[in-house]
Amino acid sequence: MNLSLKRPTRTAGQIQPGILWGPFTLRVPFYHTRTQWPELWQGMLVASATGLALVPILMTDFGLGFEQAVACVFIQAVLLSSTPILFGEPFAPGWITPALPLALSFVAAQHHGVDVYATPTEKFQIMTAVSLDFSLLVFLLGITGLGKRLIGWLPAALKGGIILGASIAALKRVFLDDAHRFLYQQPVATTLAISFCLILTFSLPLQRYKLRFRSLAILASLGLLPGFLIAALVGPLVAAPDLTAAGEATREIVFQLEWGWIVPPFLETFQKVSPFWIGWPDWKMFVDGVPLALMGYVIVFGDLITGIEVLRAAEPDRADEKIDINLNRSHFSLCIRNLLMGLFAPFFPTQGCLWTGVHVIVVQRWREGRQVMDSLFGGIASYYVFGIPLLYLVKPLVTGLKPMMGIALSLTLVLTGFACAYVAIGIPRTQIERGVTVLTAVALAIFNPWTGMAIGIAAVLLLVGIRSPDPARDH
């Protein structure tokens, strides 16, 4: 293997050079790929800030301290960003976002009014169990090629129910379950941020203006960042609903910057989250996690198809770079990342295959030509800050975002809920299927995954019946 200092060049029409290892390709940043500054600055802010949305959940529900939660998110971000760099996947990776509300509801499940997973240790153990279930599932479906057959066999009403269930669970989490912790604490800032992002992302009247005004399209492409900025400007000016202990009014957002660098306490974090320290899940946890892992796979497979179609549409404009798409490699990458995440920073939905909005943004600039972006892998690697979430190490930035992390979580869940709803509603083909979709969704959002799936399957069998899959539609 020859690693000269001279950057390898790509012959027109060939695959971007890299180092082959097994089915994967390592592309060393700055050597095999060039820095793309627009993607780098966007990723530094948007990707890092979005990942921090998990911090309040890890603190309040899982019992981690602030810096321990940041360390956990740091590990998850490094694993996620390894997708294009270490494994050679041509997708902008992201969470299995629709599975996030389902996972949160699963962990918060109660039986006769008592928490099923009462302690932080049990919650991390069940997250490990689901992650390892999912890792094994994608490995088996990838190596056998059964993944596409499974998705093709799955009835439309059940597919729609899984995705609509994620929508209901997400909105229920924001407006009911955790409203007292997030929405009611920062009502004005949170409402403005959510409204602004919903309008900017989904408003049909605004779509034609995006085509006319490039600045508006760029603003819309920044994901959660515009909502953050609105909240950051308004929150410090608005009085919070609750008074301080001294009876004084405070503000919805109070910035308290701390200077210096964060040295993530990895050892302390491992001792609270890793099965090597807290103990392994019992067999029942592995069994309980199977339906959630299966639902996650349904979502992931749809993401893979979406990512491939976006690339296929752009490829005619970039004949100079061949993009190697390999579904088996994608499955193996998912398997390895979820395995490592489950062992060292368990939080199931954080290791997916696609962040659709970012993927579309990067591919759109890539298709403009080699003079704009030399290689697709350079654009994706730059967006993910070459595998190192530097923002998490800068204490003023992290502490500055700390009072806005609840808003980040609410934004993530509401946008996920809205997007999942309109996708799910389009999947059923008949009125009966739509009814079964809603019934399945409500069951999944309210009951545990096994019960929800059982209700959905029974409803499909009794009300819709078994039909032969429609290859054209499922493709």
Side-chain angles (χ1 to χ4, degrees), residues 35 84 144 152 176 273 371 379 430:
T35 303
T144 60
L176 290 176
V273 310
Q371 72 283 0
T430 68

Side-chain angles (χ1 to χ4, degrees), residues 75-244:
I75 296 167
Q76 294 161 358
V78 169
L79 287 173
L80 190 69
S81 59
S82 69
T83 304
I85 299 167
L86 184 61
F87 297 104
E89 284 291 278
F91 309 114
W95 296 348
I96 314 174
T97 311
L100 175 60
L102 294 174
L104 294 177
S105 298
F106 178 54
V107 171
Q110 292 187 333
H111 183 68
H112 298 306
V114 178
D115 290 338
V116 177
Y117 310 107
T119 67
T121 294
E122 291 174 331
K123 291 179 180 181
F124 278 118
Q125 285 176 331
I126 190 61
M127 279 295 185
T128 292
V130 178
S131 300
L132 298 185
D133 283 345
F134 183 78
S135 179
L136 179 61
L137 179 66
V138 295
F139 176 78
L140 293 176
L141 293 178
I143 202 169
T144 60
L146 292 175
K148 189 171 184 178
R149 293 185 183 179
L150 172 66
I151 300 301
W153 169 84
L154 210 62
L158 198 56
K159 288 182 192 174
I162 290 171
I163 298 173
L164 187 60
S167 172
I168 295 173
L171 299 177
K172 179 173 174 282
R173 182 89 184 185
V174 174
F175 297 111
L176 290 176
D177 297 343
D178 283 340
H180 63 287
R181 290 196 307 189
F182 301 121
L183 182 60
Y184 294 164
Q185 297 297 319
Q186 299 168 308
V188 175
T190 302
T191 301
L192 282 175
I194 291 173
S195 302
F196 192 75
C197 283
L198 279 174
I199 293 169
L200 204 58
T201 306
F202 298 110
S203 171
L204 291 176
L206 203 65
Q207 295 302 316
R208 60 178 180 270
Y209 293 109
K210 289 183 187 178
L211 299 176
R212 291 172 53 188
F213 301 104
R214 182 172 175 79
S215 58
L216 185 60
I218 293 173
L219 183 66
S221 72
L222 295 178
L224 304 182
L225 186 59
F228 279 172
L229 294 177
I230 290 291
L233 291 173
V234 174
L237 305 176
V238 180
D242 297 330
L243 301 177
T244 64

Side-chain angles (χ1 to χ4, degrees), residues 235-271:
L237 305 176
V238 180
D242 297 330
L243 301 177
T244 64
E248 299 174 351
T250 184
R251 301 293 173 181
E252 286 194 3
I253 294 177
V254 179
F255 293 108
Q256 295 178 329
L257 301 183
E258 298 178 20
W259 301 99
W261 299 91
I262 291 178
V263 179
F266 292 121
L267 182 58
E268 291 179 19
T269 305
F270 293 153
Q271 290 172 344

Side-chain angles (χ1 to χ4, degrees), residues 34-37 39-40 43 377-386:
R34 299 177 183 176
T35 303
Q36 302 296 323
W37 291 103
E39 282 70 29
L40 180 65
F377 294 97
I380 298 174
S382 296
Y383 200 98
Y384 291 84
V385 201
F386 307 111

Side-chain angles (χ1 to χ4, degrees), residues 47-59:
S48 299
T50 303
L52 288 172
L54 284 184
V55 168
I57 291 293
L58 290 170
M59 292 173 64

Side-chain angles (χ1 to χ4, degrees), residues 39 47 80-81 83-85 88-95 303-304 307-308 310-311 337 352-363 376-377 379-381 383-384:
E39 282 70 29
L80 190 69
S81 59
T83 304
I85 299 167
E89 284 291 278
F91 309 114
W95 296 348
D303 284 344
L304 282 172
I308 291 170
V310 170
L311 287 174
R337 288 189 288 114
C353 64
L354 189 72
W355 187 347
T356 306
V358 173
H359 187 63
V360 170
I361 292 165
V362 175
V363 170
L376 175 67
F377 294 97
I380 298 174
Y383 200 98
Y384 291 84

